[in-house]
Amino acid sequence: MELPDPHAESLTDESPGTWTDVLAHLEQTAGTSWLTTTRRDGGPHTRPVLAVWVDGRACFASGEGTAKSRRLVRDARVSLALDTGRVHAVVEGAAEPVLDPEPLERVALAYADRYGWAPTPGDGFLTGAQGAPTAGPPPYRAYAIAPSAVYAFPAGDDLGHGPTRWTFGG
């Protein structure tokens, strides 16, 4: 799940941020994010999710029977919005199922670390005695967002950069 080096572009006349600095901050943050998928008619479908950052990508869990999971099968394009208190961020890209055992294990460990929810990874799913908050009923498919763009808007002056857009892969 390696990401290419992104291209940074300032959205104002301030200096752009560095991806490694913002990513480190995002990886340490827990809280509710808002995932937008696309309805069949092209309209947005936005729901809360608990995201974790693994291997440089935002990841989330979703029960197979949920509307967001059904929409992702048809159209993997998503937008994930989050607020860490220090930065408002938006991740745009495609949600890809995390099927390989090692990355799936890292997603499970990240959930345990960030939210205290300790799912069991196996056979391409996350399961466990406790249900996943915001994810519907088990089993849960883990998804990683392959970003096309990430936007970061500092919430204060302590980040040392202005609003920045990073584009990935071209």
Side-chain angles (χ1 to χ4, degrees):
M1 291 188 352
E2 283 286 317
L3 287 178
D5 287 333
H7 169 74
E9 177 184 356
S10 177
L11 299 176
T12 64
D13 59 356
E14 298 175 80
S15 298
T18 64
W19 176 242
T20 54
D21 288 346
V22 171
L23 178 60
H25 177 65
L26 294 172
E27 288 174 337
Q28 298 170 6
T29 301
T32 302
S33 301
W34 295 91
L35 180 76
T36 301
T37 59
T38 306
R39 289 187 166 101
R40 189 172 301 281
D41 67 2
H45 176 264
T46 303
R47 295 295 181 265
V49 296
L50 298 179
V52 293
W53 290 78
V54 175
D55 300 333
R57 294 183 184 197
C59 300
F60 62 93
S62 182
E64 288 290 79
T66 64
K68 64 181 163 279
S69 288
R70 290 190 308 270
R71 288 185 171 94
L72 290 171
V73 168
R74 185 181 41 75
D75 187 344
R77 294 176 299 166
V78 298
S79 176
L80 180 76
L82 58 139
D83 179 359
T84 71
R86 292 180 64 207
V87 66
H88 311 294
V90 177
V91 180
E92 296 177 345
E96 302 170 340
V98 179
L99 302 174
D100 293 337
E102 290 176 10
L104 190 61
E105 175 72 25
R106 290 192 294 276
V107 171
L109 291 171
Y111 270 112
D113 181 51
R114 292 287 168 251
Y115 298 103
W117 176 55
T120 303
D123 295 326
F125 290 94
L126 300 174
T127 59
Q130 296 177 328
T134 76
Y140 307 103
R141 176 76 69 199
Y143 292 90
I145 300 174
S148 56
V150 175
Y151 298 82
F153 304 91
D157 296 331
D158 65 331
L159 290 181
H161 66 81
T164 304
R165 172 180 46 222
W166 292 273
T167 53
F168 297 79

